[in-house]
Amino acid sequence: MKQNHELTETLDFIAEYATYLLGSGVHTSRVVRNSQRIGASQGVEIQLMSFQKSSIVSIHDPRTGESVTRAVRIIQKPISFVRNSDLSALSWEALDQQLPLEEIRRRFEQLTAKPYIRPANALLAVGLANASFCRLFGGDWVAMAVVFVATLVGLAAKQRMQARGINHFLIFTASAFIASLCASVALRFDCTAQIALATSPLFLVPGVPLINGAIDIVEGYILNGCSRIFNALLLIVCIAIGLSATLMLFKNSLL
């Protein structure tokens, strides 16, 4: 039987755990299952309702009938599939090994303290990936080189703007414009310049929100799924606006 302060401590941790996963791009049903596993390891029942910017988490002790509810804000974090997988594994460890809350919290803090991929490494990886997209759509080697450099510049600008806390819709619009503007250099060379322009902002496409939104809708979390898909579609519109601005500047060169 848990005392009131123990119930509150358990709720506070599970709310922190759940909102961390939601802010890191994990689909809702997975967060619910993970949270309920941790709750089961502590002998309590967990109910979670998630929205785009906040979550409501309730904890219930079936032995005493006592319940506590918290509304917590979701803070967006960089997406790390390795970290999300480790945090999901933590919920299984908590249930299988019946870990005490203090040990679960300690492991959680260790996992979340691990550094993300270095920005320079991310720039290189994303640049190569976007250049590969250019090749996939028929671009030649010159166009690939241009897209690689344009991606580096656009992503670096995106990282700087995110660090300053600028609105993410403005970030996506500006990053798409900067990347496509850099890619317009391809118009000066005898290469597949149009493909270079078209593929330069592809690194901004919000694939994770689109996939998670579809998963949420299929699994019955309609409200959260629709909000994720709608937000992703707005970001795609921002990308189109940024690219269109470049095309308007160089429309005579494209004819």
Side-chain angles (χ1 to χ4, degrees):
M1 182 181 300
K2 288 186 176 294
Q3 301 295 325
N4 184 268
H5 71 279
E6 294 176 323
L7 203 63
T8 302
E9 288 177 359
T10 304
L11 173 62
D12 290 341
F13 170 74
I14 293 178
E16 179 184 0
Y17 173 88
T19 52
Y20 190 97
L21 287 177
L22 288 167
S24 300
V26 179
H27 59 272
T28 307
S29 63
R30 185 179 182 185
V31 178
V32 172
R33 291 194 301 269
N34 291 352
S35 300
Q36 289 177 341
R37 277 195 290 267
I38 294 179
S41 72
Q42 305 302 305
V44 294
E45 299 173 352
I46 297 295
Q47 293 295 328
L48 186 146
M49 179 181 295
S50 177
F51 304 96
Q52 181 68 17
K53 294 291 187 179
S54 61
S55 277
I56 299 174
V57 185
S58 295
I59 189 170
H60 172 69
D61 188 341
R63 292 164 294 187
T64 64
E66 187 173 1
S67 298
V68 184
T69 300
R70 286 279 189 278
V72 287
R73 186 164 62 99
I74 298 174
I75 300 175
Q76 297 301 314
K77 300 181 180 296
I79 295 173
S80 172
F81 295 110
V82 173
R83 182 171 297 192
N84 292 342
S85 178
D86 290 341
L87 290 173
S88 293
L90 176 60
S91 68
W92 281 110
E93 293 171 2
L95 181 60
D96 294 340
Q97 302 174 21
Q98 291 296 299
L99 298 175
L101 182 63
E102 293 76 12
E103 177 62 17
I104 300 173
R105 180 180 290 278
R106 186 187 67 80
R107 296 190 186 187
F108 172 77
E109 291 173 352
Q110 284 182 342
L111 291 173
T112 55
K114 289 182 179 180
Y116 288 98
I117 183 173
R118 294 175 59 188
N121 293 341
L123 283 173
L124 180 61
V126 174
L128 291 173
N130 219 29
S132 300
F133 272 121
C134 177
R135 183 64 175 173
L136 184 64
F137 288 113
D140 55 27
W141 291 103
V142 176
M144 287 179 63
V146 171
V147 169
F148 176 77
V149 175
T151 302
L152 295 184
V153 176
L155 182 56
K158 179 174 178 283
Q159 291 174 342
R160 291 294 183 88
M161 287 185 284
Q162 285 177 327
R164 293 178 178 271
I166 299 174
N167 181 276
H168 66 293
F169 293 119
L170 294 178
I171 290 175
F172 272 68
T173 303
S175 299
F177 174 70
I178 292 170
S180 57
L181 186 64
C182 292
S184 65
V185 174
L187 295 170
R188 301 295 182 182
F189 301 101
D190 184 18
C191 67
T192 53
Q194 293 183 353
I195 295 176
L197 273 172
T199 55
S200 59
L202 286 182
F203 69 95
L204 294 167
V205 174
V208 172
L210 285 171
I211 293 172
N212 286 340
I215 293 174
D216 284 346
I217 291 175
V218 170
E219 294 185 337
Y221 298 94
I222 307 297
L223 182 60
N224 210 30
C226 288
S227 65
R228 282 178 164 175
I229 288 180
F230 187 72
N231 184 69
L233 292 177
L234 288 177
L235 293 178
I236 292 173
V237 170
C238 291
I239 296 170
I241 292 173
L243 178 58
S244 298
T246 299
L247 295 179
M248 291 296 293
L249 289 174
F250 294 97
K251 60 181 179 180
N252 292 330
S253 300
L254 295 170
L255 296 177

